[in-house]
């Protein structure tokens, strides 16, 4: 914001916080504070006043440029001060940032465990972060049921320390259904620990699967154990097949069959949809497909360009616009869109949302060999964490 604003008892000069962002939409201006998450809406006729405050201004100049009376302007300024939109000294911003960092980043609490029961997969998606990072000659692994049970019990100890009431266990891979014994054993252990109070009653389980290996028995098992099944499917066949199936159309039918089998069993089912450049370009068709899929939730994933897979420079802006449009379109008909939904809920509730990745101190990830870390390398939010601690049971 420039030089420090000197303050007197009556605010000699006022300026907008560097965390204050102003957005214009229709006939309104929205003031949004990135730390306070408490929006204020003003008419467009306040534009000149805000421009003045952005440069910092004296009380006299502020009053002169306001469309309100002096008394009304004074009242407005007091309210904006209370919400931290206005500051008299840049040190105020620094103090507020330090307070938010201490509250939300200073005390990590484990809430999520990714259980990577295998790093093998029965598909070969061109954008796959795991496949594209595997060295030549790499041999895939499977977690034993005993190791999966040990991981769950270790996670339960961390939850007792963190005090989280709704922890999550996410079964991931590779394709987790290639190691069904470990999946079933871990899920049964979770239920046992919930029943005796060693895990909270609100502990949630999610299985991320490509759907090909889903059977009626597996679907019933997931329903019985209250597991949310998320099927990785990138839209209609013409969007999914080129990137995920190398044109093998029969596999697309098998994925859809797995999705329908889960729905027929009454399991909670969502779709994990990765947005490639063609998907973004044909986003309207993709949205129509999601609406007809008969699921209650969808999570759109952003592609990470890990060589040899690449993206055009226009992709970030295009996918951001698609995510916003997708949220508006799907929530209007009752389908939960997960990625934008998390951010919108935080905005609506006025709760700071410091990161979109539990790898920032809120998760543990267990590999098939039993090594654990705080990060899986599979994040699709754009973060790049390196040097995470890895330990063995």
């Amino acid at each position: 914001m420039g030089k420090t604003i000197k303050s007197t008892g009556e605010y000699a000069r006022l300026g907008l916080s560097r965390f204050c962002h102003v957005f214009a939409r229709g006939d309104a201006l929205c003031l949004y504070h990135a730390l306070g998450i408490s929006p204020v809406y003003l008419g467009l006729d306040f534009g000149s006043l805000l421009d003045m405050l952005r440069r910092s201004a004296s009380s006299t100049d502020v009053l002169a440029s306001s469309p309100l009376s002096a008394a009304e302007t004074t009242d407005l300024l007091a309210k904006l001060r209370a919400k931290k939109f206005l500051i008299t000294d840049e040190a105020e911003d620094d103090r507020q940032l330090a307070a938010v960092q201490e509250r939300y980043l200073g005390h990590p609490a484990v809430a999520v465990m990714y259980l990577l029961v295998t790093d093998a997969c029965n598909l070969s998606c061109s954008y796959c972060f795991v496949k594209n990072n595997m060295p030549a000659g790499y041999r895939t692994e499977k977690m034993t049921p005993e190791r999966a049970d040990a991981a769950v019990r270790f996670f339960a100890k961390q939850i007792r320390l963190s005090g989280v009431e709704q922890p999550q266990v996410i079964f991931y891979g590779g394709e987790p259904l290639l190691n069904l014994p470990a999946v079933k054993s871990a899920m049964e252990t979770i239920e046992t620990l919930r029943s005796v109070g060693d895990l909270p009653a609100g502990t949630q389980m999610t299985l991320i699967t490509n759907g090909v290996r889903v059977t009626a028995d597996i679907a019933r098992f997931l329903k019985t154990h209250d597991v949310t099944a998320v099927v990785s499917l990138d839209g209609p066949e013409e969007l999914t097949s080129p990137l995920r199936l190398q044109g093998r159309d029969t596999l697309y039918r098998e994925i859809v069959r797995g999705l329908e089998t889960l729905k027929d069993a009454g399991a909670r089912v969502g779709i994990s949809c990765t947005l490639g450049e063609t998907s973004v370009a044909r986003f309207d068709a993709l949205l129509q497909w999601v609406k007809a899929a008969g699921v209650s939730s969808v999570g759109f994933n952003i592609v990470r360009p890990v060589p040899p897979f690449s993206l055009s420079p226009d992709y970030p802006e295009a996918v951001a616009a698609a995510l916003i449009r997708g949220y508006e379109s799907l929530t209007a008909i009752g389908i939960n869109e997960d990625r934008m939904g998390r951010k919108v809920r935080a905005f609506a509730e006025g709760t700071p949302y410091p990161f979109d990745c539990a790898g920032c101190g809120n998760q543990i990830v267990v590999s098939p060999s039993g090594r654990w870390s705080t990060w899986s390398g599979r994040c699709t939010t754009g973060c790049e964490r390196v040097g995470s601690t890895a330990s063995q049971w």
Side-chain angles (χ1 to χ4, degrees):
M1 191 175 64
K3 61 184 179 181
T4 300
I5 303 169
K6 301 298 182 183
S7 173
T8 64
E10 301 294 326
Y11 312 129
R13 297 186 71 80
L14 288 170
L16 286 181
S17 164
R18 71 176 185 266
F19 299 112
C20 175
H21 305 276
V22 181
F23 302 94
R25 185 167 185 178
D27 59 355
L29 296 171
C30 174
L31 276 66
Y32 170 76
H33 197 291
L35 300 182
I37 321 296
S38 182
V40 171
Y41 299 92
L42 300 172
L44 294 177
D45 51 352
F46 283 87
S48 59
L49 171 62
L50 294 175
D51 287 339
M52 185 172 293
L53 288 169
R54 188 175 286 110
R55 299 187 297 269
S56 86
S58 67
S59 299
T60 301
D61 290 338
V62 171
L63 290 171
S65 63
S66 174
L68 303 175
S69 68
E72 291 171 325
T73 300
T74 300
D75 180 62
L76 173 63
L77 295 178
K79 291 177 179 177
L80 292 177
R81 278 282 293 160
K83 290 180 174 289
K84 310 297 185 182
F85 285 99
L86 298 182
I87 61 173
T88 60
D89 191 295
E90 288 183 346
E92 292 184 47
D93 273 345
D94 296 334
R95 289 192 294 270
Q96 189 180 11
L97 175 60
V100 171
Q101 288 174 327
E102 171 64 19
R103 179 177 181 183
Y104 292 97
L105 302 178
H107 305 282
V110 171
V112 178
M113 178 173 69
Y114 277 83
L115 203 57
L116 311 184
V117 295
T118 181
D119 51 12
C121 188
N122 50 344
L123 298 184
S124 184
C125 304
S126 59
Y127 53 70
C128 179
F129 179 90
V130 179
K131 173 177 70 72
N132 292 341
N133 273 286
M134 283 183 175
Y138 178 81
R139 297 181 64 180
T140 59
E141 297 180 285
K142 286 186 178 182
M143 181 179 291
T144 65
E146 294 76 17
R147 189 163 282 154
D149 292 346
V152 170
R153 295 181 187 281
F154 176 77
F155 180 62
K157 291 180 181 179
Q158 307 313 307
I159 295 303
R160 288 196 290 274
L161 293 173
S162 66
V164 174
E165 295 181 356
Q166 291 187 315
Q168 297 183 62
V169 178
I170 301 173
F171 293 83
Y172 206 47
E175 167 51 47
L177 293 184
L178 293 177
N179 190 4
L180 192 57
V183 169
K184 286 187 171 182
S185 183
M187 288 180 178
E188 289 168 348
T189 299
I190 290 169
E191 284 215 334
T192 298
L193 295 182
R194 279 195 305 205
S195 68
V196 299
D198 287 342
L199 272 172
T203 302
Q204 301 168 7
M205 291 185 281
T206 301
L207 176 83
I208 312 294
T209 176
N210 60 38
V212 172
R213 297 291 290 260
V214 172
T215 64
D217 285 343
I218 290 173
R220 285 192 294 268
F221 181 87
L222 297 178
K223 165 66 175 176
T224 300
H225 291 269
D226 197 26
V227 179
T228 298
V230 177
V231 178
S232 298
L233 187 54
D234 297 345
E237 187 170 335
E238 62 270 22
L239 294 181
T240 298
S241 185
L243 286 177
R244 304 195 71 213
L245 309 175
Q246 293 76 50
R248 291 179 288 171
D249 297 340
T250 55
L251 278 178
Y252 183 83
R253 291 196 288 272
E254 290 177 28
I255 295 172
V256 173
R257 176 200 52 74
L259 175 67
E260 295 300 324
T261 300
L262 289 164
K263 288 162 53 179
D264 291 344
R268 284 196 307 273
V269 186
I271 288 174
S272 177
C273 180
T274 298
L275 297 176
E277 292 187 284
T278 303
S279 303
V280 172
R282 300 186 55 190
F283 197 63
D284 287 337
L286 176 57
L287 286 179
Q288 292 305 313
W289 176 86
V290 171
K291 292 174 182 178
V295 296
S296 58
S297 66
V298 61
F300 289 123
N301 302 314
I302 303 169
V303 177
R304 294 179 59 191
V306 179
F309 189 81
S310 62
L311 295 166
S312 75
D314 298 330
Y315 176 77
E317 290 291 335
V319 76
L323 288 171
I324 294 171
R325 189 149 52 95
Y327 172 81
E328 293 175 336
S329 177
L330 295 177
T331 54
I333 60 171
I335 297 177
N336 175 52
E337 193 288 304
D338 190 49
R339 182 171 298 279
M340 284 300 299
R342 294 193 295 268
K343 299 169 179 62
V344 171
R345 283 193 297 274
F347 180 84
E349 295 168 0
T351 305
Y353 194 69
F355 44 77
D356 197 42
C357 175
C360 300
N362 296 100
Q363 74 180 21
I364 55 175
V365 181
V366 186
S367 74
S369 65
R371 294 178 64 83
W372 64 269
S373 173
T374 58
W375 183 66
S376 68
R378 292 157 171 79
C379 178
T380 57
T381 59
C383 63
E384 295 283 353
R385 286 178 60 89
V386 296
S388 297
T389 302
S391 301
Q392 188 78 31
W393 297 114

